[in-house]
Amino acid sequence: MPKFNLMSYIMPPEDKMFFQLFQDSAEICLQSAKLYDEVMHTQLTEEQKEKALKFRKKGKLSYKLVLKQLNKSFITPIEREDIQYIASQLNKINKKIIKACLNLDVYHLTSYTEEMKEQALTLVQATEQMGEIIKKFKKVSDVEDITKTNIAMKELETHGDEIHHRAMYQLFSGKYEALEVIKLRDMYKEIENALDACFNVSDTILNVVLKQS
């Protein structure tokens, strides 16, 4: 049974807004991840580039809204440093995904490795799980429920590390030209960093809930 949390009931509506803004940012990250995954199975089009730019703008706006709300809030539902950190990580995730998406055009990449496609799918799964843990955070679910979601995120983290290791092994196997190595290494790094930020958000939320339990 979820633990009763008095603060969630007496908290002013404007302070509850942080959780909604986190959820909005997580949804933008998921949309960006799905766009990147879509591109991995087609080719980057002008329409998709426009979508990517729109998602980047929406992500930046969402981050600014959190900071604006933080600056005008005298009392916050969780520590101010945790709010700022979660918001910055969510913004980082979105920026990394969009940068990777647009770099496909910058680097003139028209064919994608299996590892790139696997990374893209794992990113979609990670952003979905991240969205779930933020929803539970907003609803003040019990620690056990949030811990289970965090464990699922850890499993995705392990899978993502395996993909990245395999990608690096293939990249330096000698079958790629030097310029291609640089391009692909950057692509892998951007998505790996986005995945790491997803796991950081999950860990931070679990730590906050543990401190308040």
Side-chain angles (χ1 to χ4, degrees):
M1 175 182 291
K3 182 179 293 186
F4 177 79
N5 190 311
L6 180 62
M7 288 303 294
S8 68
Y9 291 91
I10 65 175
M11 203 185 301
E14 62 269 18
D15 287 335
K16 291 181 181 180
M17 189 183 296
F18 289 113
F19 299 105
Q20 184 58 53
L21 290 171
F22 290 158
Q23 197 169 327
D24 293 344
S25 294
E27 180 59 31
I28 295 167
C29 291
L30 176 57
Q31 290 175 359
S32 297
K34 286 183 175 179
L35 175 63
Y36 185 71
D37 184 57
E38 177 186 308
V39 171
M40 286 294 101
H41 296 86
T42 55
Q43 291 291 325
L44 184 64
T45 65
E46 288 300 318
E47 182 182 357
Q48 288 169 329
K49 282 194 282 185
E50 288 178 11
K51 276 187 180 181
L53 292 171
K54 184 176 82 170
F55 291 154
R56 183 171 67 184
K57 186 176 180 180
K58 288 174 69 176
K60 187 182 295 185
L61 177 60
S62 186
Y63 178 56
K64 287 181 177 179
L65 285 173
V66 173
L67 296 184
K68 183 178 179 181
Q69 185 65 27
L70 190 58
N71 287 333
K72 73 176 187 178
S73 297
F74 180 68
I75 298 174
T76 56
I78 61 176
E79 291 183 16
R80 305 177 76 86
E81 293 81 1
D82 290 328
I83 292 173
Q84 195 278 332
Y85 182 74
I86 292 171
S88 67
Q89 288 297 298
L90 288 166
N91 187 45
K92 178 181 178 179
I93 293 163
N94 193 55
K95 285 172 63 178
K96 292 291 181 183
I97 298 170
I98 298 306
K99 184 178 178 182
C101 199
L102 296 177
N103 275 350
L104 294 171
D105 185 45
V106 173
Y107 294 160
H108 301 286
L109 291 172
T110 55
S111 61
Y112 314 127
T113 67
E114 286 304 311
E115 286 75 25
M116 288 173 71
K117 294 175 184 178
E118 286 187 58
Q119 264 195 334
L121 178 59
T122 304
L123 183 62
V124 171
Q125 294 168 339
T127 50
E128 285 175 340
Q129 285 292 331
M130 183 179 68
E132 285 302 309
I133 202 167
I134 288 174
K135 286 178 186 176
K136 292 171 183 177
F137 191 32
K138 178 184 176 182
K139 294 177 182 177
V140 198
S141 299
D142 64 13
V143 178
E144 184 178 355
D145 197 19
I146 289 178
T147 300
K148 286 179 180 177
T149 308
N150 185 255
I151 290 171
M153 286 289 283
K154 289 295 182 184
E155 291 174 354
L156 283 172
E157 180 179 19
T158 299
H159 182 57
D161 289 342
E162 290 170 354
I163 295 169
H164 189 255
H165 181 269
R166 184 167 13 106
M168 292 298 101
Y169 180 83
Q170 292 291 334
L171 198 56
F172 294 100
S173 64
K175 69 177 184 179
Y176 292 101
E177 296 292 334
L179 184 58
E180 199 76 3
V181 169
I182 294 171
K183 293 177 181 179
L184 290 175
R185 184 177 59 184
D186 282 354
M187 294 301 302
Y188 292 136
K189 183 179 179 181
E190 291 296 344
I191 300 302
E192 177 67 12
N193 287 342
L195 284 167
D196 285 343
C198 287
F199 308 135
N200 289 341
V201 169
S202 180
D203 281 344
T204 300
I205 288 174
L206 178 60
N207 289 336
V208 169
V209 173
L210 287 171
K211 282 189 292 185
Q212 293 189 341
S213 62

